[in-house]
Protein backbone atom coordinates (compact mmCIF):
# COMPACT_ATOMS: atom_id res chain seq x y z
CA UNK A 1 0.00 0.00 0.00
CA UNK A 2 1.44 3.35 -1.05
CA UNK A 3 1.95 6.37 1.17
CA UNK A 4 1.30 9.31 -1.13
CA UNK A 5 3.47 12.27 -0.10
CA UNK A 6 3.41 15.93 -1.16
CA UNK A 7 6.25 18.31 -0.35
CA UNK A 8 6.08 22.05 0.35
CA UNK A 9 9.51 23.58 -0.25
CA UNK A 10 11.89 21.70 -2.55
CA UNK A 11 15.11 22.65 -0.77
CA UNK A 12 17.95 20.69 0.76
CA UNK A 13 15.75 18.84 3.29
CA UNK A 14 13.42 17.73 0.51
CA UNK A 15 16.44 16.63 -1.50
CA UNK A 16 17.71 14.50 1.39
CA UNK A 17 14.25 12.94 1.88
CA UNK A 18 13.68 12.12 -1.80
CA UNK A 19 17.20 10.75 -2.20
CA UNK A 20 16.92 8.78 1.05
CA UNK A 21 13.71 7.09 -0.02
CA UNK A 22 15.37 6.06 -3.27
CA UNK A 23 18.61 5.00 -1.56
CA UNK A 24 16.81 2.75 0.96
CA UNK A 25 14.00 1.60 -1.32
CA UNK A 26 15.23 -1.99 -1.58
CA UNK A 27 16.56 -2.71 1.91
CA UNK A 28 15.29 -5.90 3.51
CA UNK A 29 12.47 -5.67 6.06
CA UNK A 30 14.54 -6.68 9.10
CA UNK A 31 17.68 -4.72 8.12
CA UNK A 32 19.40 -2.34 10.47
CA UNK A 33 20.10 0.74 8.43
CA UNK A 34 22.21 3.68 9.68
CA UNK A 35 20.03 6.77 10.00
CA UNK A 36 16.73 4.87 9.75
CA UNK A 37 14.94 3.87 12.95
CA UNK A 38 12.55 1.43 11.27
CA UNK A 39 12.61 -0.01 7.76
CA UNK A 40 9.07 -1.15 8.46
CA UNK A 41 6.60 1.17 10.15
CA UNK A 42 3.55 -0.94 10.84
CA UNK A 43 2.95 -2.66 7.51
CA UNK A 44 4.65 0.07 5.52
CA UNK A 45 8.14 -0.23 4.01
CA UNK A 46 10.27 2.67 2.81
CA UNK A 47 9.54 1.58 -0.77
CA UNK A 48 5.84 2.32 -0.15
CA UNK A 49 6.54 6.07 -0.16
CA UNK A 50 5.46 7.68 -3.42
CA UNK A 51 5.92 11.38 -4.05
CA UNK A 52 2.83 12.78 -5.76
CA UNK A 53 3.12 16.58 -5.54
CA UNK A 54 5.71 19.27 -4.88
CA UNK A 55 5.34 23.00 -4.37
CA UNK A 56 7.97 25.74 -4.47
CA UNK A 57 8.46 29.42 -5.34
CA UNK A 58 11.87 29.14 -7.03
CA UNK A 59 11.45 29.90 -10.74
CA UNK A 60 14.33 27.52 -11.58
CA UNK A 61 12.52 24.58 -9.92
CA UNK A 62 8.94 25.25 -11.06
CA UNK A 63 7.97 23.00 -13.95
CA UNK A 64 10.85 20.57 -13.41
CA UNK A 65 10.40 16.99 -12.37
CA UNK A 66 10.98 16.62 -8.61
CA UNK A 67 13.95 14.34 -9.38
CA UNK A 68 15.68 17.28 -11.10
CA UNK A 69 14.43 20.10 -8.90
CA UNK A 70 16.04 18.61 -5.77
CA UNK A 71 19.45 19.27 -7.39
CA UNK A 72 18.62 22.77 -8.70
CA UNK A 73 20.29 25.90 -7.27
CA UNK A 74 20.44 27.13 -4.64
CA UNK A 75 20.18 23.55 -3.28
CA UNK A 76 23.54 22.17 -2.21
CA UNK A 77 22.62 18.85 -0.59
CA UNK A 78 25.21 16.19 -1.43
CA UNK A 79 24.04 13.85 -4.17
CA UNK A 80 24.07 10.37 -2.66
CA UNK A 81 21.41 8.61 -4.73
CA UNK A 82 20.41 8.39 -8.36
CA UNK A 83 16.77 9.43 -8.36
CA UNK A 84 14.81 8.30 -11.43
CA UNK A 85 12.24 10.55 -13.03
CA UNK A 86 9.30 10.69 -10.62
CA UNK A 87 6.66 12.21 -12.92
CA UNK A 88 5.99 14.87 -10.27
CA UNK A 89 6.18 18.39 -11.66
CA UNK A 90 7.11 21.12 -9.15
CA UNK A 91 4.19 23.53 -9.00
CA UNK A 92 4.21 27.26 -8.19
CA UNK A 93 2.84 27.89 -4.72
CA UNK A 94 1.92 31.21 -3.14
CA UNK A 95 5.01 33.07 -1.92
CA UNK A 96 3.31 34.62 1.13
CA UNK A 97 6.08 35.04 3.74
CA UNK A 98 8.27 32.09 2.73
CA UNK A 99 10.75 34.43 1.03
CA UNK A 100 11.49 37.90 2.41
CA UNK A 101 11.11 40.62 -0.21
CA UNK A 102 14.84 41.47 -0.11
CA UNK A 103 15.69 37.78 -0.70
CA UNK A 104 13.40 37.15 -3.66
CA UNK A 105 16.14 37.53 -6.24
CA UNK A 106 18.82 35.46 -4.43
CA UNK A 107 16.22 32.71 -3.90
CA UNK A 108 15.11 33.01 -7.56
CA UNK A 109 11.48 33.53 -6.53
CA UNK A 110 9.07 33.77 -9.42
CA UNK A 111 7.38 37.03 -10.38
CA UNK A 112 3.70 36.73 -9.34
CA UNK A 113 2.74 38.80 -12.38
CA UNK A 114 4.23 36.14 -14.68
CA UNK A 115 3.27 32.88 -12.93
CA UNK A 116 -0.13 31.54 -11.93
CA UNK A 117 0.19 29.90 -8.55
CA UNK A 118 -1.73 26.69 -7.98
CA UNK A 119 -4.39 26.07 -5.39
CA UNK A 120 -2.58 23.68 -3.06
CA UNK A 121 -5.74 22.13 -1.56
CA UNK A 122 -7.03 21.31 -5.04
CA UNK A 123 -3.71 19.74 -6.02
CA UNK A 124 -3.59 17.69 -2.81
CA UNK A 125 -7.06 16.35 -3.63
CA UNK A 126 -6.23 15.69 -7.30
CA UNK A 127 -3.03 13.81 -6.45
CA UNK A 128 -4.74 11.98 -3.56
CA UNK A 129 -1.91 12.96 -1.23
CA UNK A 130 -2.02 11.21 2.14
CA UNK A 131 0.29 13.75 3.73
CA UNK A 132 2.10 16.98 3.04
CA UNK A 133 5.59 17.49 4.45
CA UNK A 134 6.38 21.15 5.18
CA UNK A 135 10.00 22.02 4.40
CA UNK A 136 9.50 25.79 3.99
CA UNK A 137 12.17 28.20 5.26
CA UNK A 138 12.14 29.04 8.96
CA UNK A 139 9.95 32.08 9.59
CA UNK A 140 7.24 31.06 7.14
CA UNK A 141 4.41 31.79 9.56
CA UNK A 142 1.67 32.61 7.01
CA UNK A 143 2.83 30.06 4.45
CA UNK A 144 2.91 27.24 7.01
CA UNK A 145 -0.64 28.01 8.04
CA UNK A 146 -1.69 28.23 4.39
CA UNK A 147 -0.42 24.67 3.84
CA UNK A 148 -2.01 23.43 7.09
CA UNK A 149 -5.33 24.93 5.96
CA UNK A 150 -4.93 23.30 2.54
CA UNK A 151 -4.40 19.94 4.25
CA UNK A 152 -7.56 20.37 6.30
CA UNK A 153 -9.53 21.25 3.17
CA UNK A 154 -8.06 18.34 1.19
CA UNK A 155 -8.31 15.71 3.94
CA UNK A 156 -4.56 15.29 4.10
CA UNK A 157 -2.16 14.82 7.06
CA UNK A 158 0.31 17.62 7.81
CA UNK A 159 3.92 16.97 8.87
CA UNK A 160 5.47 20.26 9.92
CA UNK A 161 9.26 20.13 9.76
CA UNK A 162 9.92 23.76 10.69
CA UNK A 163 9.62 25.64 14.00
CA UNK A 164 6.21 27.18 13.34
CA UNK A 165 3.69 26.01 15.90
CA UNK A 166 0.76 24.19 14.33
CA UNK A 167 0.75 20.66 15.78
CA UNK A 168 1.41 22.00 19.28
CA UNK A 169 -1.17 24.78 18.98
CA UNK A 170 -4.38 23.58 20.66
CA UNK A 171 -6.68 25.33 18.20
CA UNK A 172 -4.92 23.84 15.16
CA UNK A 173 -4.58 20.42 16.79
CA UNK A 174 -8.31 20.39 17.53
CA UNK A 175 -9.15 21.22 13.92
CA UNK A 176 -7.05 18.29 12.68
CA UNK A 177 -8.53 16.03 15.35
CA UNK A 178 -12.06 16.98 14.34
CA UNK A 179 -11.25 15.99 10.74
CA UNK A 180 -9.55 12.80 12.00
CA UNK A 181 -6.32 13.84 10.30
CA UNK A 182 -2.81 13.41 11.67
CA UNK A 183 -0.76 16.52 12.38
CA UNK A 184 2.81 16.22 13.61
CA UNK A 185 6.01 18.13 13.89
CA UNK A 186 6.69 21.74 14.73
CA UNK A 187 10.41 21.28 14.03
CA UNK A 188 10.88 17.62 13.16
Amino acid sequence: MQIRVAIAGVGNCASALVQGVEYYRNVKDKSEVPGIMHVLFGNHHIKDIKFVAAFDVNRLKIGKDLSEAIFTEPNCCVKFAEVPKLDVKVLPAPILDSVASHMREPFMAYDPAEVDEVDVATMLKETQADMLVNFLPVGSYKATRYYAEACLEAGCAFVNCIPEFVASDQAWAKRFEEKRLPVAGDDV
Side-chain angles (χ1 to χ4, degrees):
M1 187 170 136
Q2 290 182 338
I3 303 170
R4 300 174 65 80
V5 177
I7 298 174
V10 184
N12 289 314
C13 293
S15 180
L17 175 64
V18 172
Q19 288 187 76
V21 167
E22 187 59 35
Y23 188 80
Y24 293 121
R25 179 168 301 289
N26 296 314
V27 297
K28 299 208 181 325
D29 291 358
K30 306 242 181 200
S31 299
E32 286 196 28
V33 180
I36 302 291
M37 291 177 70
H38 307 285
V39 172
L40 286 176
F41 188 78
N43 293 328
H44 296 289
H45 187 281
I46 296 165
K47 68 183 172 209
D48 296 330
I49 296 171
K50 177 178 175 59
F51 297 101
V52 296
F55 307 96
D56 206 280
V57 299
N58 181 310
R59 66 180 174 267
L60 301 178
K61 296 175 186 178
I62 293 168
K64 285 187 177 178
D65 189 80
L66 179 59
S67 63
E68 298 172 68
I70 60 173
F71 299 114
T72 300
E73 290 182 17
N75 288 12
C76 57
C77 181
V78 171
K79 185 175 186 175
F80 61 88
E82 290 297 324
V83 179
K85 188 173 181 191
L86 299 171
D87 293 321
V88 175
K89 186 168 84 171
V90 176
L91 301 171
I95 294 174
L96 302 170
D97 60 349
S98 61
V99 181
S101 58
H102 70 283
M103 293 301 291
R104 287 197 178 179
E105 190 53 39
F107 276 105
M108 320 285 185
Y110 68 83
D111 181 348
E114 297 174 6
V115 175
D116 291 329
E117 62 192 41
V118 298
D119 180 272
V120 171
T122 298
M123 295 312 300
L124 293 173
K125 287 177 198 173
E126 285 181 11
T127 60
Q128 299 175 332
D130 296 311
M131 71 177 66
L132 180 134
V133 180
N134 180 25
F135 285 133
L136 296 179
V138 171
S140 299
Y141 178 90
K142 290 178 186 172
T144 294
R145 282 149 185 80
Y146 170 85
Y147 281 103
E149 194 68 52
C151 287
L152 286 166
E153 184 180 328
C156 179
F158 184 64
V159 180
N160 187 23
C161 297
I162 71 168
E164 284 297 332
F165 303 112
V166 175
S168 59
D169 179 287
Q170 288 182 332
W172 278 102
K174 183 176 182 184
R175 293 181 67 203
F176 276 89
E177 185 178 345
E178 287 170 354
K179 294 251 185 177
R180 301 182 52 83
L181 293 170
V183 60
D186 293 353
D187 209 7
V188 171

